Amino acid sequence: MKYAFKGSSRGDFEKWQKSFRPELKKALGLDILEKQWTNYQPVAKLLSSEDIGFAIRERWSIQTEPTVPLPFILLRPKNPDPSRVLVITPHGHSKNTELYAGVYHDDKERESGEVGERDVAIQAVKEGYFAIAPTARGFGETRTPEDIKSDALSSCRTLLLHDILVGRTPIGDRVWDISRLIDWAVQNLPINPVKIVVTGNSGGGTVTLFAAACDTRITVAVPSSYFCTFTGSIGSLHHCECNYIPGIMQLGEMADVAGLTAPRPFCAVQGKLDTIFPIEESRKAFDHLKQVYKAAGVQDNCELYEGQEGHRYYKAGVWPFVRKHLDVK
């Protein structure tokens, strides 16, 4: 693996990061998107607004590419934290792309979402933060017409195959979408552009990790139920096609990708009983990640929080970390 981190000094770290990030973006297909849409300014349209008591919930659609409309929900706090934090909450594999924003199809889904603490955007807005809950490309309204008609969970397989044809990847597409949401939010919301948090569970953890590695405007990254090793998770266990990046292990392991977030704060949240991202592999990855942060001179900016259950979100490991590293009281 060409960019497996082996350094020990700040100089080693800076040289490694400067070389690795462009290669990662190339592997994701982000270099193609950046060249194709140089100076592209995303346009968003407000579709509806409702008062949910503690916040205003707005539905929007944003053109992250000229022909790609992406739905998202914006939660505006009625009593915003004076630090003007923005939290973006990419979701995982779910038919309900609005679950993070507290929209449920039935009581069973509500119970599952709340017990598993998957109402991530609701949690964020209750902290006083602005929250954006985007639809992950390949889900919900962004599925193919055929998959919408058959009520398929996602169009991840089709998205991967089409992306391969043009040198892109689903993860790269979703990272691009996060960056365009940041572009729009910085221009249109009363937020502090140096206090941007990204956090999501499972597939949302995937997007969180890669987005923070690629977009240095992200201040704090908290991926949940994803941080592990490629070899011990998606390389040896069944996972959705959208997880795969051609040639990624020629470059580095997952901890090396996460190391591109340094020196910015990074907290991996994992369940001890997670069967698809095993905690033993997460600990192994974290040991390697700590070496990157140590070389960067900010070892305390890197944490692993272990929840007592399985593949779910653990808010107890998220918001104290966010408050600590954004100096939000």
Side-chain angles (χ1 to χ4, degrees):
M1 292 180 280
K2 184 176 180 180
Y3 296 102
F5 186 75
K6 299 174 182 177
S8 59
S9 69
R10 179 77 184 198
D12 293 337
F13 162 75
E14 290 176 348
K15 182 179 179 181
W16 166 82
Q17 199 171 70
K18 184 177 180 180
S19 299
F20 183 22
R21 183 175 287 114
E23 291 301 312
L24 176 65
K25 293 173 78 171
K26 183 177 179 180
L28 292 170
L30 285 169
D31 61 328
I32 294 172
L33 281 158
E34 289 173 351
K35 290 175 183 176
Q36 188 171 15
W37 307 125
T38 302
N39 300 321
Y40 175 69
Q41 293 296 318
V43 177
K45 179 180 180 181
L46 176 63
L47 304 177
S48 67
S49 179
E50 61 179 323
D51 189 324
I52 58 172
F54 53 86
I56 303 300
R57 182 162 57 202
E58 300 175 351
R59 285 182 170 83
W60 290 76
S61 179
I62 184 171
Q63 300 286 139
T64 56
E65 297 181 60
T67 59
V68 180
L70 190 81
F72 72 91
I73 289 180
L74 169 65
L75 294 175
R76 295 180 182 265
K78 290 187 175 179
N79 297 298
D81 187 280
S83 297
R84 297 181 293 133
V85 175
L86 170 67
V87 180
I88 302 178
T89 64
H91 65 79
H93 287 65
S94 173
K95 284 187 177 180
N96 183 354
T97 62
E98 299 182 333
L99 187 147
Y100 277 24
V103 179
Y104 304 102
H105 295 156
D106 52 45
D107 290 340
K108 183 178 180 181
E109 188 175 77
R110 177 184 295 275
E111 180 180 2
S112 174
E114 293 179 351
V115 170
E117 298 178 340
R118 293 183 174 88
D119 56 343
V120 184
I122 293 292
Q123 296 168 29
V125 79
K126 286 184 175 180
E127 292 283 333
Y129 310 152
F130 287 83
I132 290 178
T135 293
R137 203 185 295 205
F139 290 87
E141 294 176 25
T142 70
R143 291 171 296 171
T144 66
E146 294 80 10
D147 286 335
I148 291 174
K149 184 177 180 179
S150 66
D151 196 30
L153 172 64
S154 74
S155 296
C156 289
R157 183 177 184 276
T158 301
L159 182 61
L160 173 66
L161 297 177
H162 288 180
D163 272 334
I164 287 174
L165 289 175
V166 295
R168 288 165 51 171
T169 63
I171 292 177
D173 292 347
R174 293 166 184 169
V175 169
W176 172 265
D177 292 342
I178 296 294
S179 292
R180 303 294 70 77
L181 284 164
I182 292 173
D183 289 345
W184 177 82
V186 168
Q187 292 293 323
N188 294 279
L189 298 179
I191 61 164
N192 187 333
V194 298
K195 293 195 174 183
I196 297 173
V197 179
V198 181
T199 182
N201 191 67
S202 192
T206 309
V207 177
T208 297
L209 187 145
F210 280 92
C214 295
D215 193 328
T216 57
R217 295 175 299 176
I218 295 169
T219 317
V220 178
V222 190
S224 174
S225 296
Y226 176 68
F227 181 72
C228 201
T229 62
F230 292 134
T231 51
S233 55
I234 67 167
S236 55
L237 300 168
H238 176 76
H239 282 271
C240 179
E241 294 91 340
C242 66
N243 282 283
Y244 297 90
I245 302 165
I248 187 64
M249 291 194 66
Q250 294 292 326
L251 302 180
E253 254 290 359
M254 193 185 298
D256 297 302
V257 177
L260 291 175
T261 301
R264 293 165 290 143
F266 179 98
C267 178
V269 176
Q270 295 293 122
K272 290 183 179 180
L273 304 181
D274 195 329
T275 58
I276 58 175
F277 294 101
I279 192 65
E280 295 82 5
E281 294 294 316
S282 299
R283 292 167 181 162
K284 184 190 302 183
F286 185 66
D287 286 342
H288 182 59
L289 182 61
K290 283 193 295 186
Q291 298 307 309
V292 179
Y293 272 78
K294 183 178 180 180
V298 288
Q299 193 167 357
D300 290 343
N301 281 5
C302 174
E303 294 184 15
L304 172 63
Y305 177 89
E306 297 187 10
Q308 297 303 310
E309 298 179 27
H311 191 77
R312 46 158 289 185
Y313 198 73
Y314 296 91
K315 65 182 181 181
V318 179
W319 305 115
F321 184 86
V322 169
R323 288 191 294 268
K324 172 184 174 182
H325 288 281
L326 290 179
D327 294 322
V328 176
K329 305 302 181 184

